[in-house]
Amino acid sequence: MDTSIATLAKLVAPKLPLMLKDAVFHTLGLSQNSSKWDLRTELTVQLLRSFMNSTNPQPIGKIQRSTLRDPGVKGKLWVSKVEIPVPSEDDIRETLFKAIDDLREESQTYTKPSCVPVEAEWTGYRANAQKDSALPSMAEEEKYKLLMSETKSPATVLYFHGGAYYLCDPVTHRPLVSRLAKHSGGCFLSVRYRLAPQSAFPTQLLDALSAYLYLLQPPPGAFHEPIPASQIVLAGDSAGGNLAFGLLQLLLHLHRTSSSSNTPPTVSYHGKSVAIPLPAGIACNSPWLDLARACPSLEANAATDYLPPPSLSAAVHFPPDAIWPADPPRGDLLCEVSMLTHPLASPLAAPASDWRDSPPMLICCGEELLSDECAIVAGRAARQGVAVRWEQWEAMPHCFAQVLEGLVASRRCLEIWGEGMREMVEKSEGGKGLVTKGRWWAAKTLKESPLDVKGLGSEWSEEEVLGWMKAAREKRREGWEKEGKNLPKL
């Protein structure tokens, strides 16, 4: 038996009685979501929930390693592996640290990371390949050329994978990125940013900025020519969406504080002064925009999600291992507790005015734990005049298009996500571009209802939301100190 199948069977076997009970209740119409979910969705969500809500979690290092295995490249995708070299100048680091310091409260602290080479994968759709077709054996540059020969759009998507910042890798997201490449017609650079808890904020943001500059001004040895910012879209899912929005907020801050309003800010990069224009747009699925975990939907939407709400997860702690607790200790996997409300770590903390002049946004989400934070950011941006596409699916859990692949709703979500990326770039190519539009998709029927994007999150003031976040931050700090500096489970 294949090792992965045997492992899966070992994990699922103890859950079979629970799954049988769930199936019976769903069939009889007795489960909470039987009118909105099909049987497969019911069983999948309940199974994921049983793992996520475990009161006896495995050590972080063991969980992390299980998500980093490379299954190889096969099927309808091209992959060309590259390494983004470290520039001789230190300007990238200093630019990032200055932005963090400009935006932080006096009490917020962080450790300054070093620059390291960042691995990434060019990924594209391979139309004529069969399901099990292996990637041809050839040089990485030749793979890149073949990948580019199949693109149908000038869109280049800088993609950041999800996984709560401590799980997953570009290898886990290859099938998803390939499908998005098909729908967008473009190519993707999927970044292997450094993971927590081994690397703390702002390490991941430094890697993301390095990748953006790599696209704009490729150093010697890169396969690609300079890519105009008007053809670059930032994208990601879950924690990757957090990183994409954090990078966008960083770029917006650099523009707000630039010495010239007529020219973009610059940075020294591999011997050149490189301009840093804003990208064509940002397109994210279920972005995690509040690391403090403070919004009402984190509890209110627990019935339609598999993620554990704070009321269940706060008392669960990971057992210690070689990578956690961190050294020196900190109260969150990703960052110092004080940084949970920094706008580059939690974009929800950015004032509405800081989204002014942003490029277009596309956000897809379900009726999930993170829906409030997504809605608040989308509404704030729309009220600042930003073109925002909002797509929300009734009763769907976090990142449903990835975990519930067989659903029509999931296929439609991926189509909208990928097509939106193309629309953002087409604006500079003579197309109409992405325009403000909001839709609510009804469960099962997928009947569309219009939503007022500018009204999203408007029932809560900025002060109220930031108050929630600061209260959650202090609660996390108190819990961390009380529990001997262990981490409440995410």
Side-chain angles (χ1 to χ4, degrees):
M1 180 183 289
D2 181 83
T3 304
S4 60
I5 297 177
T7 302
L8 181 62
K10 185 178 179 180
L11 288 171
V12 172
K15 309 289 185 181
L16 288 177
L18 173 65
M19 294 174 68
L20 179 59
K21 175 186 173 183
D22 291 334
V24 171
F25 272 59
H26 177 87
T27 303
L28 296 176
L30 300 176
S31 66
Q32 190 169 5
N33 295 304
S34 57
S35 63
K36 298 177 180 178
W37 288 350
D38 61 14
L39 178 59
R40 179 181 175 185
T41 300
E42 180 87 50
L43 294 179
T44 302
V45 172
Q46 296 290 6
L47 182 63
L48 288 171
R49 190 178 286 162
S50 70
F51 287 120
M52 299 289 287
N53 292 343
S54 172
T55 57
N56 186 31
Q58 296 291 324
I60 287 178
K62 183 176 181 180
I63 301 172
Q64 186 184 82
R65 288 191 300 273
S66 71
T67 69
L68 303 182
R69 301 189 185 103
D70 188 346
V73 181
K74 60 181 180 180
K76 291 184 172 295
L77 75 160
W78 287 107
V79 171
S80 173
K81 300 176 182 179
V82 295
E83 183 177 272
I84 302 170
V86 177
S88 57
E89 311 90 340
D90 203 34
D91 207 17
I92 298 178
R93 294 178 71 246
E94 294 306 318
T95 297
L96 173 60
F97 301 154
K98 184 180 185 306
I100 293 173
D101 291 342
D102 287 347
L103 296 167
R104 73 183 178 94
E105 302 168 8
E106 186 176 349
S107 61
Q108 291 178 320
T109 59
Y110 66 100
T111 301
K112 296 180 178 181
S114 60
C115 271
V116 301
V118 178
E119 295 179 351
E121 294 185 352
W122 285 107
T123 307
Y125 184 65
R126 189 177 166 206
N128 296 322
Q130 300 301 312
K131 182 179 179 181
D132 295 320
S133 296
L135 200 63
S137 178
M138 60 178 68
E140 298 298 327
E141 186 169 8
E142 293 304 310
K143 295 174 187 174
Y144 172 78
K145 290 177 180 177
L146 288 171
L147 181 160
M148 293 303 296
S149 70
E150 291 203 45
T151 60
K152 298 178 180 179
S153 165
T156 297
V157 181
L158 182 58
Y159 195 86
F160 305 110
H161 67 82
Y165 273 117
Y166 74 100
L167 303 174
C168 299
D169 183 88
V171 303
T172 59
H173 283 59
R174 284 172 185 160
L176 168 66
V177 171
S178 173
R179 290 192 289 272
L180 290 173
K182 176 184 178 181
H183 296 310
S184 67
C187 64
F188 284 62
L189 185 68
S190 188
V191 182
R192 181 169 288 117
Y193 58 83
R194 285 171 278 180
L195 296 178
Q198 299 95 320
S199 299
F201 174 87
T203 304
Q204 297 75 16
L205 193 52
L206 180 62
D207 292 347
L209 178 59
S210 179
Y212 187 62
L213 292 170
Y214 176 77
L215 294 180
L216 294 172
Q217 187 60 59
F223 301 155
H224 65 288
E225 296 296 320
I227 300 171
S230 60
Q231 295 179 1
I232 299 174
V233 176
L234 309 181
D237 61 281
S238 194
N242 173 286
L243 187 51
F245 270 94
L247 177 58
L248 176 58
Q249 191 54 236
L250 169 63
L251 298 176
L252 287 167
H253 177 76
L254 297 181
H255 279 251
R256 286 193 300 270
T257 57
S258 176
S259 58
S260 172
S261 59
N262 298 321
T263 57
T266 61
V267 65
S268 296
Y269 182 70
H270 290 286
K272 296 182 179 180
S273 179
V274 179
I276 316 177
L278 295 173
I282 183 168
C284 293
N285 187 11
S286 296
W288 183 20
L289 302 178
D290 171 24
L291 299 185
R293 305 187 75 208
C295 292
S297 61
L298 284 158
E299 296 291 342
N301 289 350
T304 49
D305 208 342
Y306 52 82
L307 295 178
S311 59
L312 291 180
S313 64
V316 179
H317 298 84
F318 291 106
D321 65 357
I323 64 174
W324 188 259
D327 184 20
R330 62 179 185 268
D332 184 84
L333 271 179
L334 179 65
C335 62
E336 301 290 344
V337 171
S338 64
M339 296 297 284
L340 290 172
T341 54
H342 192 285
L344 299 187
S346 290
L348 179 64
S353 59
D354 283 1
W355 296 109
R356 188 180 298 128
D357 300 324
S358 169
M361 296 180 181
L362 167 62
I363 297 178
C364 301
C365 71
E367 197 173 2
E368 58 179 282
L369 266 61
L370 308 187
S371 60
D372 279 350
E373 59 207 67
C374 294
I376 292 169
V377 169
R380 286 177 179 175
R383 292 190 290 275
Q384 293 296 319
V386 179
V388 178
R389 177 78 61 80
W390 173 263
E391 306 282 354
Q392 186 174 15
W393 277 262
E394 181 186 16
M396 287 292 100
H398 183 64
C399 290
F400 68 92
Q402 295 158 242
V403 300
L404 299 169
E405 293 184 10
L407 293 183
V408 176
S410 297
R411 293 196 295 270
R412 187 70 188 108
C413 179
L414 292 181
E415 290 169 359
I416 291 171
W417 192 7
E419 290 166 359
M421 297 171 185
R422 187 183 67 246
E423 289 176 31
M424 292 173 179
V425 171
E426 282 181 352
K427 182 176 182 180
S428 64
E429 300 294 316
K432 65 179 182 179
L434 186 138
V435 298
T436 295
K437 182 179 183 179
R439 287 186 290 191
W440 169 268
W441 298 79
K444 287 190 174 181
T445 65
L446 296 189
K447 181 181 177 181
E448 302 175 33
S449 300
L451 282 176
D452 175 19
V453 182
K454 291 185 178 181
L456 292 171
S458 60
E459 61 267 42
W460 303 302
S461 68
E462 288 186 31
E463 293 76 14
E464 187 176 9
V465 173
L466 189 58
W468 296 341
M469 296 179 71
K470 289 182 177 181
R473 180 188 68 186
E474 294 312 305
K475 186 176 181 180
R476 179 79 67 88
R477 191 200 306 275
E478 292 168 5
W480 172 53
E481 292 173 350
K482 181 179 178 181
E483 297 294 334
K485 298 186 177 180
N486 284 324
L487 173 76
K489 186 180 175 184
L490 290 176

